């Protein structure tokens, strides 16, 4: 089966890619540049992960969504908004939320799926550790799949979210079992050199490794 995996370069999408590869599917990797502060490093991770899973150049696609930087409203895209340090688990919408980003990403991904004849589309959205993101809620994906069913050519494309209800510790454990190359992934919101170790994404990632008794293989400025 042709399967499109949305590969941001982060840990969650890496584990989704590892699962898809293990399934024996024909892989198509899709990456979005939406003007995020770590876009260069994330692109590097995407390329390295695609190389690792031997995804051919014709099955890779990079889409420019830098118009989201023009829209702003997120600490990931707006230079005037500082990426905040992790302040503990919360259901509040964080400053790192990019307005309606996942809906735009998924729409483009479904379009590519129709073009290449893929019936499965995998995204590494995670709700359990980040319940504040409105476009990571389980009900959102149920609703989006209904939109795809009604609005696509044959209604057969399904958006799947393998790590949606997993905690970061479970995602790390699953990646370890699949021998996912964590050293090639990048999760930091603030830095593209050494991970800051302080933002929400770094803190949750580090916690996931710690709870598995593992050391995160990427470099950090600090590890809280």
């Amino acid at each position: 089966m042709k399967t499109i995996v949305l590969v941001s370069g982060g840990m969650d999408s890496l584990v989704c890619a590892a699962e898809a590869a293990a399934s024996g599917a024909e892989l198509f990797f899709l990456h979005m540049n939406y003007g995020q502060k770590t876009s260069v490093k994330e692109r590097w991770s995407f390329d390295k992960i695609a190389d690792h899973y031997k995804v051919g150049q014709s099955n890779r696609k990079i889409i420019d969504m830098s118009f989201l930087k023009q829209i702003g409203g997120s600490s990931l895209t707006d230079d005037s908004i500082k990426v905040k340090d992790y302040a503990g688990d919360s259901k509040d919408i964080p400053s790192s939320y990019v307005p309606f980003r996942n809906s735009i990403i998924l729409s483009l991904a479904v379009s590519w799926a129709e073009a290449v004849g893929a019936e499965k589309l995998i995204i590494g959205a995670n709700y359990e550790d980040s319940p504040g993101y409105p476009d990571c809620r389980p009900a959102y994906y149920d609703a989006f799949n209904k939109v795809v069913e009604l609005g696509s050519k044959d209604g057969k494309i399904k958006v799947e979210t393998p790590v949606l209800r997993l905690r970061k510790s479970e995602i790390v454990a699953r990646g370890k079992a699949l021998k996912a190359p964590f050293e090639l992934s990048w999760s930091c919101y603030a830095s593209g050199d050494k991970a800051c170790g302080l933002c929400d994404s770094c803190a949750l990632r580090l916690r996931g490794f710690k709870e598995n008794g593992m050391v995160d293989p990427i470099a950090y400025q600090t590890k809280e």
Side-chain angles (χ1 to χ4, degrees):
M1 178 183 291
K2 292 181 177 180
T3 298
I4 291 177
V5 186
L6 289 162
V7 181
S8 66
M11 181 176 74
D12 300 343
S13 67
L14 166 64
V15 173
C16 287
E19 283 201 343
S23 76
E26 180 182 356
L27 300 179
F28 292 76
F29 278 9
L30 181 59
H31 181 76
M32 309 292 188
N33 176 1
Y34 56 93
Q36 66 272 41
K37 292 173 179 174
T38 56
S39 60
V40 173
K41 185 64 175 184
E42 289 180 26
R43 170 64 189 274
W44 177 89
S45 291
F46 168 79
D47 286 331
K48 292 297 183 181
I49 293 167
D51 289 345
H52 179 85
Y53 289 110
K54 298 180 172 56
V55 177
Q57 291 295 329
S58 63
N59 284 22
R60 305 183 193 187
K61 189 170 290 294
I62 314 293
I63 295 181
D64 182 9
M65 287 175 41
S66 54
F67 57 84
L68 286 177
K69 186 173 182 67
Q70 292 177 276
I71 291 172
S74 168
S75 60
L76 301 193
T77 59
D78 190 331
D79 293 335
S80 69
I81 304 175
K82 184 181 182 297
V83 175
K84 292 182 178 179
D85 293 350
Y86 181 63
D89 295 341
S90 172
K91 292 185 178 180
D92 294 336
I93 297 176
S95 66
S96 55
Y97 166 65
V98 180
F100 220 55
R101 179 192 64 180
N102 283 359
S103 299
I104 300 168
I105 286 174
L106 287 169
S107 295
L108 294 169
V110 169
S111 180
W112 194 35
E114 283 199 309
V116 300
E119 294 186 3
K120 185 183 293 187
L121 198 166
I122 297 175
I123 183 171
N126 179 240
Y127 176 74
E128 289 301 308
D129 277 320
S130 304
Y133 288 95
D135 53 3
C136 284
R137 296 169 183 162
Y140 166 83
Y141 288 96
D142 291 340
F144 199 90
N145 265 318
K146 189 63 177 178
V147 170
V148 175
E149 179 186 344
L150 295 174
S152 58
K153 184 169 56 179
D154 55 22
K156 293 182 179 179
I157 300 166
K158 297 296 181 186
V159 177
E160 296 189 0
T161 53
V163 302
L164 187 67
R165 295 184 179 275
L166 300 184
R167 293 190 59 77
K168 283 292 189 287
S169 58
E170 295 174 302
I171 295 172
V172 171
R174 185 172 289 187
K176 180 183 179 183
L178 291 164
K179 295 182 171 56
F182 287 118
E183 71 278 4
L184 301 180
S185 65
W186 195 256
S187 302
C188 184
Y189 288 156
S191 173
D193 180 14
K194 289 184 176 181
C196 71
L198 300 171
C199 68
D200 290 357
S201 189
C202 281
L204 293 171
R205 176 178 170 132
L206 284 166
R207 186 169 73 183
F209 277 93
K210 184 177 180 180
E211 289 177 357
N212 278 278
M214 296 169 62
V215 175
D216 189 344
I218 69 169
Y220 283 87
Q221 297 171 21
T222 183
K223 292 185 179 183
E224 289 296 307

